Amino acid sequence: MVNLNKMHFYIKNMVCNRCKTAVQNEFEKIGVFPVSIELGEVQTSEEISSDKLIALENSLKHIGFEIIDDKKSRLIEQIKTEIIRLVHHSTAIENTNLSTILASKLNYEYNYLSNLFSEVEGTTIEKYFISQRIEKVKELLVYDELSLSEISNQLGYSSVAYLSSQFKKVTGLTPTFYKSLKETKRRNIDKL
C-alpha cells in the first residue's frame, strides 16, 4: 500500500490527456484536489487517509488505472510514459538516441533501464518504442493530413523506405495498403 505521508502518486496506464482528466475526477470524487497531474503522476497538497486511499485505489482500478507503489514498477511506468510522451505528444521526435533520452530523463544508466524493462515486461524498450511509433503512424495515416514523407520526418525515421519496412514488419501491411483499408471501411451516410 502507498505510504500515507507521500503526496506524490504514480499511476499505471495514464497515457493521454483524457486519462489525466479521468484520474483527476477520481481524486476529486474522494475530496482530494491534485495540484499537479502529468502522464503517470499525480501530486496532491494533502495527505490521504487510508479509507480514502482504498476508495481511490478501487475507483481507479474500475476505470483501468492503478496506483504503483514499488520502485521497479514505477520506473517501468516512467519509461513507458517517456516513450509515449516522445512519440505521441511531441511535434517531432528528436534525432537523439532513445537510450540517451531515457538515461538523462530518468537519471539511470540505460543498461539498467533496458535490463529491468526486459525482465519485467518480457520485451525490449526498443520493441516497445517501435510499437508506439507504428501506432502513431497508423493514427497519422488515418487522419490523412500528412504525406508518408512528412510522417517519416515527424517520427524521426531516416527514410520513408525504413518507415515502410518497419511498418510492414510489425503490421504485415504496407502503409499504403493500411491507408486504403481505412478508406474502404468508411462509407458516406448517403451511400448506405
Side-chain angles (χ1 to χ4, degrees), residues 2-3 28 40 44 46 80 83-85 88 90 95 101 112 138 143 150 153 178 183 189:
V2 175
N3 181 344
E28 291 175 358
T44 64
E46 58 190 277
K80 289 180 176 180
I83 290 171
I84 289 166
R85 185 176 291 140
H88 296 281
S90 300
N95 286 333
I101 293 169
Y112 173 74
K138 288 179 184 177
Y143 288 162
E150 291 168 323
N153 288 336
Y178 181 84
E183 292 168 1
I189 197 163

Side-chain angles (χ1 to χ4, degrees), residues 161-175:
Y162 182 57
L163 180 153
S164 297
S165 169
Q166 196 169 70
F167 190 91
K168 184 163 185 167
K169 184 177 179 183
V170 171
T171 66
L173 307 169
T174 65

Side-chain angles (χ1 to χ4, degrees), residues 178-188 192:
Y178 181 84
K179 189 174 180 178
S180 74
L181 287 177
K182 179 234 16 159
E183 292 168 1
T184 59
K185 285 183 182 176
R186 299 198 64 185
R187 294 188 296 181
N188 290 332
L192 293 174

Side-chain angles (χ1 to χ4, degrees), residues 12 76-77 80 115-124 128:
K12 185 174 184 176
I76 296 297
E77 202 60 28
K80 289 180 176 180
N115 291 335
L116 177 65
F117 193 89
S118 295
E119 174 187 317
V120 172
E121 293 295 312
T123 189
T124 65
Y128 184 78

Side-chain angles (χ1 to χ4, degrees), residues 24 26-34 44 46-48 52:
Q24 179 174 354
E26 296 307 313
F27 270 84
E28 291 175 358
K29 281 181 189 174
I30 64 160
V32 176
F33 298 89
T44 64
E46 58 190 277
E47 293 182 13
I48 297 178
K52 283 185 176 183

